[in-house]
Structure formats: structure tokens, C-alpha cells
Amino acid sequence: MIVALIIACEVGFWVLLALGLAVRYLLKWRRTSVVLLLCEPVLELVLFIVTAIDLKNGAEPSWKHGLAALYIGYTVAFGHYTIRWLDGHAAHRLGGGPPPRKPPRYGRARARHEARLWLRAVYGAAVALALLQAAVWYVGDSGDVGSLRTFQWVALRTVGIYGLIALGYWIWPKKAPAGAEDAEEEPRLTTGKERVRS
């Protein structure tokens, strides 16, 4: 049941996101789109509650509970970033806004971009670790928490590997070809006033 709920939450995330952006840019219902996009965190809350109830009802902790914690951590850290990124593209394609800036590809700008993404991964891993630790304490000595501990190590290893990759961009920055421009900007939500001015 937990795995099915994780899949449902992932599908629900993309459905709500598509509806929110379509309502914002095709129907011009900004308030309705905000309500739809604010429903995104509810999916993670539902997954958290169902996972907690499953453990409370005596389910043996397993990889499914660990996967749920990692999923929640990932969406907490990268969900808003993904929404901003897609909103920039929707504003351009559907709302007549300027094309969104691409992430930097070269030099220190790329290294800073990768470092910011790594910090998001650290944040997501911290959320997952906290949820997994809470589950370990909740189960206590009465159950086997080995799978939950395994997923804690998965979160730590993932952050470590990602950190090494981000560090690589600092140590060996990619040089831009002659004449290439490389602007650095994070994707952000656009407003109606910005689209009018552009």
C-alpha cells in the first residue's frame, strides 16, 4: 500500500502542477492556480500520515517506509524548485513571457549553481533522516529497524556522492568557449506585472 501511495503522490504532484499552470496561463485564474499549487504539500502530508498509521498498526518496518521518507525529503527540498522551473517555461510558452534563463554551464557560475543544488539535497536528506529516526524511535526495541537504518545510510551516501560531484565543478571548472555568455539566475515564479512589462 505504501508503494502505491508513493506512486499516487508522484502522479498527483504532476497532475496538480499541470492543472495549476494551465489554469494560471490559459484561463488567467491566478488565485485558483495558487490554491492548486498549494495543494502540493498536502500530498506529502498524506503520505507521512499513512506511513505513520501503518507503523502504528504494527506493520514491520521495511524498505517501503524508508522509500516513503526519502520521497518526502526529496519533494520538500526540490518540489518548489521544480514548480518555479516549470512556471518559468509555462510563462514563456503559454503566457507570452520572456524565455526562462538556463542554468549556467561554465566556470564558477556553474559551480555555484551545483553547490546550491547540493544544499537542497542536504536539506532533503536531513528531512528524510529526521523522519527515519523518528520511525526508529517510534518502533523502539520491539521491531526490526534495520531497513530504516539502511535508508538512513542511503540518504547520507547520496548526499556524499552529490557533494563530490559539486566539488568537482569547483576544482575543475568547465571553461566557456570564446564569446559564450553564461548568465547565472535561479528559476523563479513570474508575476503578471513582470509579464506586462516584458
Side-chain angles (χ1 to χ4, degrees), residues 83-150:
I83 291 170
R84 287 187 301 165
W85 181 76
L86 285 172
D87 181 72
H89 286 277
H92 171 60
R93 302 266 182 198
L94 304 175
R101 291 193 181 189
K102 295 180 180 176
R105 295 186 297 165
Y106 308 108
R108 298 291 179 206
R110 176 60 185 259
R112 283 190 292 273
H113 174 75
E114 292 297 328
R116 282 193 297 267
L117 290 179
W118 176 72
L119 288 174
R120 284 184 181 277
V122 169
Y123 175 44
V127 170
L129 288 168
L131 291 174
L132 289 165
Q133 189 58 46
V136 166
W137 288 334
Y138 182 72
V139 173
D141 297 331
S142 60
D144 179 18
V145 294
S147 61
L148 301 178
R149 294 284 188 209
T150 298

Side-chain angles (χ1 to χ4, degrees), residues 108 110-119 159-173:
R108 298 291 179 206
R110 176 60 185 259
R112 283 190 292 273
H113 174 75
E114 292 297 328
R116 282 193 297 267
L117 290 179
W118 176 72
L119 288 174
V159 167
I161 292 168
Y162 198 165
L164 291 174
I165 293 169
L167 183 62
Y169 282 98
W170 284 101
I171 297 172
W172 301 286

Side-chain angles (χ1 to χ4, degrees), residues 1-12 43 46-47 50-51 63-65 67-68 71:
M1 179 177 86
I2 300 293
V3 174
L5 189 57
I6 292 171
I7 294 169
C9 285
E10 181 66 12
V11 171
L43 297 173
V46 167
L47 179 59
V50 170
T51 303
W63 63 271
K64 300 170 191 173
H65 302 99
L67 183 62
Y71 177 79

